[in-house]
Amino acid sequence: MKWSSSIRKWSRLIHRDLSFFFAGMVLIYAISDIVMNHRDTINPNFSIERKEYKITEKLPGKEGMKKEKVLTLLQPLGEEGNYTKHYFPKADIMKVFLKGGSNLQVNVSTGEAVYESVTRRPLIGAMARLHYNPGQWWTYFADIFAVGLIIITLSGVIMLKGNKGIIGRGGIEMIVGIIIPVLFLLFF
């Protein structure tokens, strides 16, 4: 067996095994990257639902609004157990803060209310957290992953020969794949 055939054989084995080993990492970085690229429309960490409604009963003003009354306003939302505090940023606007980041804003004059429910996105949020690098232990594994990607790339480049390899279609695809990010670096 020629040395070039042996190198290509080992490249296929290394490429295959590292691809399987790092498949989870590739998916984590790819999915979280898509979400993070669209942060203006998708919050990767939290899901925020907004509900507007009208309170029909007459509400007391700033001086008369006691915690007990605020808790009764939270009952229909199922949030009375999550009350942390309330205050009036304006004379007729009351803001109620709830555990977990949710809140209720009420215009005590008109009865117009806006409830924002904030919940964590368990899977996408965890992926985004890993993408941001949560600590030293993750840095080591991310560095190993980066070295693995370099090896996967190099083994992929040399494992095919002829028209499909580096001197054929594969080489053209690689050049285009290098030119595109370089153009973005230069012009955007």
Side-chain angles (χ1 to χ4, degrees):
M1 179 183 282
K2 292 194 304 186
W3 68 271
S4 59
S5 296
S6 179
I7 289 175
R8 278 194 284 284
K9 175 185 172 197
W10 278 104
S11 291
R12 280 191 297 276
L13 293 173
I14 291 168
H15 188 87
R16 179 198 64 210
D17 291 345
L18 287 178
S19 295
F20 281 129
F21 183 76
F22 288 120
M25 286 287 288
V26 169
L27 290 173
I28 286 170
Y29 275 93
I31 292 168
S32 63
D33 190 56
I34 290 169
V35 173
M36 289 167 55
N37 283 340
H38 300 279
R39 283 187 300 252
D40 56 336
T41 56
I42 302 170
N43 183 328
N45 298 310
F46 299 99
S47 175
I48 301 170
E49 293 181 34
R50 186 179 167 99
K51 177 183 173 186
E52 296 182 25
Y53 64 98
K54 185 145 176 108
I55 299 170
T56 55
E57 67 181 275
K58 178 111 172 90
L59 296 171
K62 181 177 181 178
E63 305 306 323
M65 188 63 74
K66 302 296 180 209
K67 179 180 176 181
E68 295 73 29
K69 181 60 182 170
V70 175
L71 292 176
T72 62
L73 295 174
L74 294 173
Q75 282 177 346
L77 302 170
E79 292 279 13
E80 66 275 10
N82 292 324
Y83 171 87
T84 57
K85 71 176 187 171
H86 71 279
Y87 84 109
F88 282 78
K90 295 182 182 173
D92 56 348
I93 303 292
M94 176 181 66
K95 184 132 186 181
V96 182
F97 293 99
L98 305 167
K99 292 176 189 170
S102 298
N103 68 78
L104 174 66
Q105 186 168 307
V106 179
N107 183 322
V108 293
S109 306
T110 64
E112 293 173 358
V114 178
Y115 168 63
E116 285 186 342
S117 171
V118 178
T119 54
R120 285 201 166 275
R121 292 185 191 269
L123 185 60
I124 293 174
M127 287 181 187
R129 184 170 172 262
L130 290 176
H131 200 116
Y132 285 129
N133 192 350
Q136 191 65 34
W137 61 271
W138 186 254
T139 300
Y140 297 132
F141 189 66
D143 288 347
I144 292 167
F145 172 60
V147 171
L149 286 178
I150 292 168
I151 294 169
I152 288 169
T153 301
L154 294 176
S155 64
V157 166
I158 62 174
M159 75 180 174
L160 293 176
K161 65 179 180 175
N163 293 337
K164 295 179 184 176
I166 188 77
I167 60 170
R169 186 181 79 204
I172 294 168
E173 291 170 351
M174 185 174 77
I175 290 169
V176 171
I178 291 170
I179 289 174
I180 291 172
V182 168
L183 289 174
F184 272 91
L185 286 172
L186 294 175
F187 298 108
F188 295 104

